[in-house]
């Protein structure tokens, strides 16, 4: 066998790998031996010549390589990927009670960098985010088809992070029968329509599942504002939990349309729901000006800061909406506030929210800290895998 291409690191840059962090940044690479093509497996070698890991090469991304294995003798091939997939899928069997929409593969945290696999009943959606994933796409399709036997395997690699890799966006049928558009899934006994063709992410915000159950438990007799509602999953849970009224705010008309259908599908009273299409920043200001009040506010905005570099601008956005939300709460009211920004960690998020409370002149306490569901695990050697942060606050 010809020698594998190698990335030789700068002195000292082996440290994060020795702690088993699976990324190597462009600035850590001193030289390249051989001519690796995008997605090829390369060996990572320290400045002193020691083998560190085998990784997928991404020539354009700032994350220049992502580790497949720490073992020099393991071959990264179709059976390697199949074994990793199988292990990841099997680990989800503990989560059957979750319903029939589950993340089967959560990328780095499942030892499969750049690869996301979500299951919606008999449909599986694959997302390839990096060159390493792209290189093995056909193998992944074959292995998933074989292991899960889905009626449909669909690709939703139409995500902007692929641009960082120099990869075009792509979506379409990979195997099985064509998708008619929507599937119906269950979550905590409720039914939801998921638009797999055009919905956000792979169609549904699976990561919020356990937090939606909590919202249900907290919402009895409360007037609830579900801000950034998407297809109304929090709102439906709140009504199911006995909310006296829910107000949904969302700027995607399509999502809001499905939200209405989702409430109807569950026989939840439409008379208790108010749908507001528009920019949440403006709607929150209007509510403040109208002195509207709620007993519970859910803030689940999109990613304001994908990277650390954009954290400052994002912080202003988070502070703005949290300040407004806190002002809308009646005494004893509850705020469920989230950030899914990779660039804002839990400590910073808490600081931003504390600043918002101070400026709002509100005394609030943290009742609980929230994160993503168990099908979005966080490998201890990859803290970046924990991207969703949430706080349950009670206003005095
Ligand atoms: N809570 C939802 C997920 C919310 S994701 C759930 O559990 O399913 C964030 C949502 O915010 C997306 O649906 C997006 O369309 C919407 N959004 C983004 N920017 C917005 C804005 N400025 N005003 C209102 N909605 C916005």
């Amino acid at each position: 066998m010809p020698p594998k291409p190698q990335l030789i690191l700068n002195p000292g840059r082996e440290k994060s790998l020795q702690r088993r962090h699976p990324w190597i940044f462009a600035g850590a690479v001193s030289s390249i031996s051989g001519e690796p093509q995008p997605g090829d497996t390369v060996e990572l070698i320290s400045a002193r010549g020691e083998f560190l890991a085998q990784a997928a090469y991404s020539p354009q991304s700032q994350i220049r390589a992502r580790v497949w294995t720490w073992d020099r003798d393991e071959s990264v091939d179709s059976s390697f990927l199949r074994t990793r997939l199988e292990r990841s899928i099997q680990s989800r069997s503990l989560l059957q009670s979750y319903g029939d929409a589950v993340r089967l593969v959560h990328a780095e945290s499942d030892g499969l960098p750049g690869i996301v696999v979500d299951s919606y009943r008999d449909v599986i959606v694959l997302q390839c985010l990096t060159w390493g994933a792209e290189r093995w796409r056909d193998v992944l399709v074959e292995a998933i088809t074989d292991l899960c036997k889905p009626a449909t395997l669909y690709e939703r690699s139409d995500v902007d992070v692929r641009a960082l890799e120099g990869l075009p966006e792509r979506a379409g049928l990979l195997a099985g029968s064509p998708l008619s558009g929507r599937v119906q899934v269950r979550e905590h006994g409720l039914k939801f329509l998921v638009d797999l063709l055009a919905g956000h992410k792979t169609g549904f915000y699976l990561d919020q599942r356990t937090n939606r159950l909590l919202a249900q438990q907290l919402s009895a007799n409360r007037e609830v504002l579900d801000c950034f509602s998407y297809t109304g999953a929090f709102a439906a849970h709140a009504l199911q939990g006995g909310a006296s009224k829910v107000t949904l705010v969302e700027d995607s008309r399509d999502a809001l349309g499905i939200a209405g259908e989702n409430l109807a599908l569950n026989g939840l009273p439409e008379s208790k729901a108010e749908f507001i299409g528009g920019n949440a920043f403006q709607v929150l200001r209007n509510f403040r000006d109208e002195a509207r009040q709620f007993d519970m506010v859910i803030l689940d905005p999109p990613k304001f800061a994908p990277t650390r570099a954009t954290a400052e601008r994002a912080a202003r956005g988070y502070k703005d909406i949290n300040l407004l939300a806190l002002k809308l709460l009646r005494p004893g009211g509850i705020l469920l506030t989230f950030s899914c920004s990779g660039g804002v960690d839990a400590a910073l998020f808490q600081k931003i929210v504390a600043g918002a409370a101070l400026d709002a002149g509100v005394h609030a306490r943290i009742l609980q800290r929230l994160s993503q569901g168990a099908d979005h695990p966080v490998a201890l050697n990859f803290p970046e895998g924990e991207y969703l942060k949430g706080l349950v606050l009670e206003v005095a």
Side-chain angles (χ1 to χ4, degrees), residues 168-363:
E169 294 187 13
R170 188 178 51 223
L173 185 69
L174 291 169
S177 41
L179 270 183
S180 54
R182 293 168 178 186
V183 288
Q184 190 184 305
V185 298
R186 277 181 307 110
E187 181 179 284
H188 310 124
L190 290 168
K191 294 175 248 174
F192 293 98
L193 295 169
V194 180
D195 180 354
L196 297 177
L197 296 171
H200 299 174
K201 306 239 261 187
T202 62
F204 202 56
Y205 289 86
L206 297 170
D207 50 359
Q208 286 283 24
R209 176 180 30 232
T210 43
N211 301 328
R212 289 190 284 251
L213 185 59
L214 179 70
Q216 183 181 118
Q217 289 156 352
L218 291 171
S219 56
N221 303 316
R222 288 183 190 263
E223 196 176 326
V224 177
L225 172 60
D226 180 5
C227 202
F228 305 95
S229 71
Y230 189 50
T231 54
F234 271 105
H237 279 86
L239 281 175
Q240 179 77 358
S244 57
K245 190 183 165 191
V246 293
T247 300
L248 295 82
V249 178
E250 166 60 50
D251 73 357
S252 154
R253 300 276 161 174
D254 289 344
L256 210 52
I258 298 178
E261 290 182 61
N262 279 334
L263 298 192
L265 189 63
N266 290 289
L268 295 165
E270 196 143 341
S271 58
K272 289 189 180 172
E274 176 188 19
F275 299 88
I276 301 180
N279 182 355
F281 286 80
Q282 191 52 50
V283 174
L284 287 169
R285 281 198 169 72
N286 297 347
F287 284 174
R288 178 198 57 194
D289 296 344
E290 296 159 11
R292 272 194 70 167
Q293 297 264 276
F294 296 90
D295 307 299
M296 179 159 142
V297 177
I298 298 151
L299 284 181
D300 185 19
K303 212 188 292 171
F304 291 157
T307 62
R308 232 161 263 160
T310 46
E312 201 170 310
R313 228 189 110 233
R316 258 175 277 144
Y318 287 122
K319 180 158 179 195
D320 201 15
I321 54 173
N322 280 281
L323 197 160
L324 288 161
L326 284 163
K327 286 196 166 184
L328 299 179
L329 281 166
R330 296 193 177 97
I334 298 237
L335 174 63
L336 251 71
T337 181
F338 296 97
S339 160
C340 60
S341 292
V344 174
D345 65 19
L348 176 57
F349 184 56
Q350 184 175 324
K351 233 182 251 175
I352 295 167
V353 175
L358 196 64
D359 287 8
V362 166
H363 180 69

Side-chain angles (χ1 to χ4, degrees), residues 130-142:
T130 59
W131 264 111
E134 186 78 3
R135 159 76 176 73
W136 295 99
R137 181 167 161 263
D138 292 346
V139 166
L140 294 169
V141 169
E142 204 185 307

Side-chain angles (χ1 to χ4, degrees), residues 36-59:
Q37 299 303 300
D40 277 358
T41 303
V42 293
E43 289 186 343
L44 304 180
I45 306 291
S46 76
R48 271 179 267 132
E50 305 143 316
F51 168 85
L52 298 162
Q54 299 190 61
Y57 182 51
S58 284

